[in-house]
Amino acid sequence: MKSRTQRFPLLIVAAAAMTFSASAAWADIKVGFNVPLTGFAAGDGKSALDGAKLAVAQANAAGGVAGQKIELVVYDDQASPKEAVPSATKMVEKDQVVAAVSGSYSGSTRAAASIFQRAQVPYVVAYAIHPDITLAGDYMFRVSAMGEVQGRGGAKLVQNLGKKNVVLITLKNDFGQALAAGFKEAAPKLGINIINEYEYGMPDRQFGPLVSKVKSDNPEVIYASGYFFTAGPLVSQLRAAGITAPIIGQEGYDSEKFIEIAGDASEGTLITTSLDRDSSSPSTKAFLADYKKATGSGADMVAAASYTAASVVIEGLKKTGGKGGEALKNAIAAGTYDMPIGKLAFNDLHEVKKDVQVQVIKDKAFHRHSVISDPVLLAPPTKAK
Amino acid sequence: MLTLNLVAQGLIQGSIYALVALGLTLVYGLLRILHVAHAALFTLGGYVGVLVCNASGSLALGFLCAALVSGFGGVIMFRLAYQPLLKQPPYVALIASIGLFIASEEAFRIIFGPQGFSFTDPSLQQQIVIGGGLQFKLAELLVMLSTAVIIGILAWLQARTRVGIACQATVSDPQMAESFGISLRQVRDINFFVGSALAGFAGVWVALLNNLVEPTMGSVPSYKALAIIVLGGLGSVPGTLAAALLLGVIESFGTIYLGDFLDRNAIAFAFLIAVLMVRPQGLFARR
């Protein structure tokens, strides 16, 4: 009994402290962040969250925005539209975020887009590449090259390699199909012959039959979309079957985990992505070093793109003094940004125009292979489309 | 050559299905429970195999530990989750099983992280070329071979040993078996142990073939194995084996020739529906 009365004042102090910290948090500028932290995409989700957190931490360490701290309000969307809708609604209604960032895949980002558009909350998308996202309205922004553009970049790479006969292995989701659409659109113009296209599903890790068929097709190049957890087994199985044709992947491969899974078979794999590890740009170098220091692992495209998307929001907030809504939308749209994934500016559809980075895996690390810059071929769509 | 390759790939996949589905069919035969959480033990085996092999450098030890841990995991699962529910209608156990499976996926993610693990130095990756055009990883050939051996041993145990005969007797008439002095509890434990150990064993093979274990690796086997045991005539070991291999081969051809309009994972169920329309008792049911 005695001990209870002794603890009682402590409780009051604790309650008071909580009230104070709560009121301090109330004044923070809230930025929403939807990201897959559970489910099949949780690996990418972790990178995305680390990237975005780094951007926020750096901004807060440098004094925040208009004297206020930025708070990242994180929701796990499991990369699923049915989770993304309630989390977007909560961000808008309950948390009243001034802006939001997508660190998630196309399916969930598309679903969240219309909610943010309706609420006039600027939504900056890191690496979801489906075209419909920016079509949701003028509050949408995307910092990565959209799927079709990257697909066209892939076709251009085939031409640059001096090859002609290609087999497409397409992941059957928004990501894979957008890439394939871009590739197929550009292929005839570049004199590329698509021998066959095969599709596979997200849960597939065993590609035996598909590999046998690709082998009998005998292509000069394989253009295969996927994420590191599907592409790792796929590339390793293609090589195990004795297929030696170059394999072109995309930003979904862009993870050290891909090299770990595919092992020796990953050597020589080419990817089109937005992060150039051998870049001489100071902002890229600084990001790579800071990320390594903060997390202990090497940055991938997902981390770099999420860092970029969060930074774009923060720069916009600095211009508006922490205000959201239309002012923030206009500020973000008008800005130019020097980011780890390159120099960015938005067009009238709020897509970025940028070069496609080609990386190659050499000695178990990503290195620069080439840069594809073709302003006509790689032009993102505009409103006029 | 392509046809031969597709058959071979189908048999490789079918062997893994067989290893997973056998445990499921043993459980179903004995307790009439659709044991969805069986796939969690498959994942557990994969993780244990990779972790032990990376730590010790011995793949054999990895296999052994995976089979043991999954085996005991299965017995614990039975004792804690299913045994208290045996008097309830079968769907109660099914619901518990689905819950267990979902919880286990999340547990793997929380404990081991979302990105999964790979072998630091994967073994059995040597290329084997047969007759010019057929090329395999050594692991692919060994998975077929080891499945054949294990199932052979299992069939022998079941037909020729006291424990095996006790199991069979319990399946056909539990009350009568008990009155002959067979310990039901022991038979059930053994069944769960053997079935779960097989799943763990299969988990390590899949880890080797893909060089990846991840929290969600059990999601496809969890429901596909159910389709296989239904095809095989619920509870029949040879039927399950045949159905697993057949489904592997059908999927292999289906992926290539039906892939444009039917998902690979939908093929299993399209086939299941087609079979059930003609033979409602399953392809290989004895009764």
Side-chain angles (χ1 to χ4, degrees):
Chain A
M1 198 65 208
K2 198 183 167 198
S3 70
R4 197 177 287 172
T5 45
Q6 274 176 344
R7 260 186 226 146
F8 193 61
L10 264 178
L11 268 177
I12 295 178
V13 175
M18 274 169 73
T19 326
F20 267 100
S21 65
S23 66
W26 193 250
D28 286 354
I29 299 172
K30 287 187 178 175
V31 174
F33 189 63
N34 64 302
V35 58
L37 295 175
T38 55
F40 70 92
D44 274 340
K46 188 179 177 305
S47 288
L49 183 60
D50 285 344
K53 271 185 175 168
L54 180 63
V56 170
Q58 286 178 349
N60 284 340
V65 169
Q68 290 170 299
K69 294 258 179 265
I70 294 162
E71 186 197 344
L72 206 58
V73 184
V74 181
Y75 281 95
D76 175 16
D77 68 10
Q78 299 177 12
S80 143
K82 70 173 195 292
E83 299 295 327
V85 169
S87 12
T89 310
K90 269 187 217 157
M91 284 186 222
V92 169
E93 304 287 339
K94 188 179 133 240
D95 303 310
Q96 304 195 328
V97 297
V98 293
V101 173
S102 159
S104 189
Y105 286 14
S106 289
S108 48
T109 305
R110 270 169 88 181
S114 57
I115 293 168
F116 289 117
Q117 176 63 33
R118 215 176 307 134
Q120 304 198 321
V121 171
Y123 189 40
V124 181
V125 175
Y127 64 98
I129 61 170
H130 197 277
D132 283 358
I133 295 168
T134 45
L135 292 176
D138 56 346
Y139 280 79
M140 304 296 115
F141 297 86
R142 172 169 19 223
V143 300
S144 288
M146 53 186 288
E148 274 79 354
V149 174
Q150 256 196 70
R152 284 183 242 147
K156 182 74 184 168
L157 176 60
V158 173
Q159 192 196 36
N160 288 353
L161 293 173
K163 309 283 184 189
K164 202 170 155 347
N165 294 316
V166 187
V167 160
L168 259 55
I169 303 176
T170 300
L171 174 61
K172 219 180 316 179
N173 72 351
D174 282 350
F175 174 74
Q177 280 163 339
L179 288 163
F183 190 97
K184 285 188 272 193
E185 179 202 326
K189 294 179 211 157
L190 301 171
I192 293 166
N193 172 35
I194 298 173
I195 308 175
N196 253 324
E197 180 181 6
Y198 306 102
E199 292 193 317
Y200 71 93
M202 190 65 102
D204 290 355
R205 303 288 182 272
Q206 287 285 169
F207 301 95
L210 200 151
V211 167
S212 304
K213 186 70 171 61
V214 170
K215 194 177 182 188
S216 78
D217 290 339
N218 197 20
E220 288 177 296
V221 183
I222 296 162
Y223 184 77
S225 54
Y227 303 103
F228 62 87
F229 47 87
T230 59
L234 174 64
V235 168
S236 127
Q237 288 164 32
L238 285 166
R239 293 293 182 239
I243 297 169
T244 53
I247 298 168
I248 300 176
Q250 312 75 17
E251 56 181 43
Y253 288 45
D254 192 327
S255 157
E256 288 177 351
K257 197 74 193 161
F258 169 73
I259 301 173
E260 196 184 319
I261 297 166
D264 293 338
S266 68
E267 287 291 305
T269 303
L270 297 160
I271 63 166
T272 56
T273 185
S274 21
L275 177 64
D276 177 9
R277 269 93 169 166
D278 294 338
S279 171
S280 55
S281 137
S283 55
T284 311
K285 280 179 156 171
F287 167 74
L288 291 174
D290 292 345
Y291 188 88
K292 182 100 196 175
K293 211 169 106 190
T295 65
S297 54
D300 49 21
M301 178 286 303
V302 166
S306 303
Y307 174 92
T308 298
S311 302
V312 164
V313 168
I314 293 166
E315 287 202 16
L317 285 169
K318 279 182 186 159
K319 283 189 209 159
T320 63
K323 284 203 171 50
E326 197 180 353
L328 182 60
K329 176 197 78 176
N330 292 335
I332 292 176
T336 55
Y337 308 88
D338 185 8
M339 290 290 163
I341 58 173
K343 289 197 166 48
L344 309 178
F346 296 105
N347 73 5
D348 64 353
L349 189 64
H350 296 170
E351 296 281 356
V352 291
K353 194 170 193 171
K354 57 201 283 290
D355 297 341
V356 169
Q357 303 293 332
V358 182
Q359 301 268 291
V360 63
I361 296 168
K362 230 187 304 178
D363 302 327
K364 308 232 154 169
F366 289 101
H367 289 291
R368 182 189 290 173
H369 174 270
S370 54
V371 177
I372 299 173
S373 54
D374 183 330
V376 181
L377 185 75
L378 298 182
T382 57
K383 264 189 188 158
K385 183 186 160 188
Chain B
M1 196 50 81
L2 175 62
T3 314
L4 216 55
N5 248 319
L6 289 179
V7 171
Q9 290 298 338
L11 291 177
I12 292 165
Q13 191 64 55
S15 303
I16 290 165
Y17 290 160
L19 286 176
V20 178
L22 270 177
L24 211 58
T25 215
L26 287 177
V27 171
Y28 186 85
L30 198 62
L31 299 172
R32 310 282 145 187
I33 291 175
L34 284 174
H35 176 31
V36 178
H38 189 60
L41 299 161
F42 162 82
T43 312
L44 180 66
Y47 270 97
V48 170
V50 172
L51 290 174
V52 169
C53 180
N54 280 349
S56 69
S58 160
L59 182 64
L61 192 64
F63 268 113
L64 184 69
C65 291
L68 286 177
V69 171
S70 291
F72 283 114
V75 175
I76 292 169
M77 213 179 246
F78 165 64
R79 292 267 182 95
L80 295 183
Y82 295 140
Q83 205 164 34
L85 299 176
L86 282 179
K87 297 230 156 56
Q88 309 289 332
Y91 63 81
V92 177
L94 175 65
I95 293 167
S97 181
I98 294 170
L100 259 179
F101 177 62
I102 295 171
S104 74
E105 274 194 352
E106 293 307 312
F108 287 121
R109 184 182 57 74
I110 291 166
I111 298 169
F112 299 114
Q115 294 201 323
F117 293 124
S118 302
F119 288 100
T120 43
D121 184 20
S123 20
L124 308 180
Q125 306 291 314
Q126 295 88 332
Q127 309 278 309
I128 309 282
V129 180
I130 301 168
L134 291 176
Q135 190 168 349
F136 300 99
K137 271 188 209 177
L138 183 55
E140 292 180 320
L141 294 179
L142 288 180
V143 70
M144 288 193 279
L145 193 68
S146 65
T147 305
V149 169
I150 283 186
I151 287 170
I153 293 175
L154 211 62
W156 179 81
L157 284 177
Q158 211 177 26
R160 295 270 178 267
T161 62
R162 282 188 67 84
V163 179
I165 293 165
C167 283
Q168 279 184 318
T170 316
V171 170
S172 43
D173 193 337
Q175 276 169 336
M176 189 62 85
E178 205 170 11
S179 70
F180 272 87
I182 293 171
S183 157
L184 279 188
R185 195 186 166 113
Q186 213 173 27
V187 166
R188 285 170 178 163
D189 281 352
I190 290 173
N191 249 297
F192 263 90
F193 183 84
V194 172
S196 307
L198 287 179
F201 187 70
V204 187
W205 278 118
V206 169
L208 258 179
L209 293 177
N210 301 347
N211 197 25
L212 176 65
V213 290
E214 50 191 333
T216 52
M217 69 186 270
S219 61
V220 174
S222 68
Y223 60 82
K224 213 173 273 177
L226 289 181
I228 290 169
I229 67 167
V230 175
L231 271 177
L234 285 171
S236 147
V237 170
T240 303
L241 175 63
L245 294 178
L246 188 65
L247 185 69
V249 174
I250 284 176
E251 244 185 46
S252 176
F253 281 88
T255 313
I256 299 304
Y257 297 108
L258 303 173
D260 287 345
F261 49 92
L262 208 57
D263 185 87
R264 169 180 183 169
N265 296 315
I267 291 170
F269 292 94
F271 181 59
L272 176 69
I273 292 166
V275 168
L276 290 185
M277 281 162 73
V278 188
R279 276 182 69 89
Q281 71 274 42
L283 272 181
F284 306 98
R286 274 179 245 165
R287 292 180 287 272

